[in-house]
Amino acid sequence: LFEPNVEQTYEIINGAIKDQVAKYLSYISIDKIEYMTNETSLDIDPNYLGVALYFTITALQFSSMMQINVSNN
């Protein structure tokens, strides 16, 4: 949470998410990870980071999305 809000940080977060899902939730596959920042939308606070995880529960072929919002407020 105290890293610069840049693409390199997103890649580190991507790796951490994928590693943890593979280790603890191997029945889930991560389809896509998107980030919402003030660079993707001008009406977002500069200290905000939103992460959208698109995933599939492999055995059920059930896909969904989970959004996590982090802000200093």
Side-chain angles (χ1 to χ4, degrees):
L1 295 177
F2 299 105
E3 297 293 328
N5 195 5
V6 294
E7 187 67 32
Q8 184 179 13
T9 302
Y10 307 150
E11 292 303 318
I12 293 168
I13 296 170
N14 284 355
I17 291 170
K18 289 177 181 179
D19 288 348
Q20 294 300 299
V21 167
K23 184 174 183 176
Y24 296 108
L25 303 168
S26 59
Y27 54 90
I28 291 178
S29 66
I30 300 295
D31 302 321
K32 180 171 55 169
I33 302 173
E34 292 181 344
Y35 295 91
M36 288 75 64
T37 67
N38 67 330
E39 291 182 6
T40 59
S41 179
L42 296 176
D43 62 334
I44 294 177
D45 183 276
N47 296 315
Y48 171 88
L49 175 63
V51 181
L53 298 171
Y54 295 83
F55 63 93
T56 300
I57 300 173
T58 309
L60 302 176
Q61 289 299 300
F62 174 79
S63 296
S64 190
M65 185 270 284
M66 176 176 67
Q67 187 167 336
I68 303 165
N69 302 313
V70 179
S71 172
N72 69 341
N73 296 331

